[in-house]
Amino acid sequence: VSTQSTGSSGINAEYGGACNSVAFYDTTTPSKLGDTCSECTEIATQVKAALSNPEIVTLLKDAIGELCSVLPITDCSETLDGYLDQAVALIKTLDPKTLCTLIGMC
């Protein structure tokens, strides 16, 4: 498992380099490269694993807060945090193949 770094700028710098220390994706090559369904299933597996890490969910909520600070929407953070919670809960309950089927990749 690898970590992704955005360097010394952007959101990574704002959060003290947290992205450098959080492992959230696997760099292994999908077994059937070029097969959209297999690639989606591999990615969905990694997304599900990442969303089980509370640090990742916290980083997503922090990003929502940053986004909402520039959007003229009443109760933006609360609304989007609620949508994020619902999306995370849904993704966690689905197996990767079903998730990819729902979004039209399988």
Side-chain angles (χ1 to χ4, degrees), residues 41-59:
T41 302
E42 290 284 334
I43 292 167
T45 299
Q46 296 304 316
V47 167
K48 285 180 59 110
L51 292 176
S52 68
N53 181 341
E55 281 185 74
I56 297 295
V57 176
T58 299
L59 287 171

Side-chain angles (χ1 to χ4, degrees), residues 21-44:
S21 63
V22 177
F24 63 95
Y25 70 90
D26 188 351
T27 58
T28 57
T29 304
S31 56
K32 296 181 181 178
L33 192 61
D35 174 11
T36 304
C37 183
S38 294
E39 289 176 2
C40 180
T41 302
E42 290 284 334
I43 292 167

